[in-house]
Amino acid sequence: MTKADLVAKISDKLGIEKGDVQATVESFMEEVKASLEGGTNVYLRGFGSFIVKKRAEKTGRNISKNTTIKIPAHNIPAFKPAKVFVEGVKSKVKVKK
């Protein structure tokens, strides 16, 4: 599902103009991004948490030059789904073989 699909689905479900839903979705994403950039996690009960994860410094390889490089410690955004969300997906989505 793309952002446009999500906007269309919410618009149809709630009977709200697509432009208004688009603005709401964009605003939500901007607020989550701003919070994480400020170092504040976002917790949505029953859905999950947008968190800042810390990555430790590590040694990597530049295979084209066959040299080792140091990758400095850094933070990355991550999403951790709520237990209810995980259980719902486990029970409703078939395992692909």
Side-chain angles (χ1 to χ4, degrees), residues 7-94:
V7 167
K9 201 164 222 175
I10 293 170
S11 176
D12 292 343
K13 189 173 186 176
L14 299 178
I16 301 172
E17 293 288 324
K18 283 185 182 179
D20 294 338
V21 175
Q22 175 76 25
T24 303
V25 170
E26 290 288 339
S27 181
F28 170 78
M29 292 188 309
E30 287 174 18
E31 288 302 318
V32 169
K33 183 179 171 186
S35 291
L36 293 178
E37 287 174 347
T40 304
N41 295 334
V42 178
Y43 303 101
L44 303 173
R45 187 178 302 272
F47 184 71
S49 303
F50 295 92
I51 59 174
V52 177
K53 277 191 169 182
K54 294 165 185 65
R55 296 282 186 197
E57 182 179 285
K58 64 182 180 179
T59 304
R61 299 222 19 104
N62 181 342
I63 50 179
S64 63
K65 294 181 181 178
N66 197 24
T67 58
T68 59
I69 56 173
K70 277 198 175 185
I71 301 170
H74 58 281
N75 293 324
I76 60 165
F79 177 74
K80 182 178 179 188
K83 192 173 188 177
V84 167
F85 186 10
V86 171
E87 292 302 321
V89 171
K90 277 184 183 178
S91 66
K92 294 179 183 169
V93 178
K94 301 284 184 199

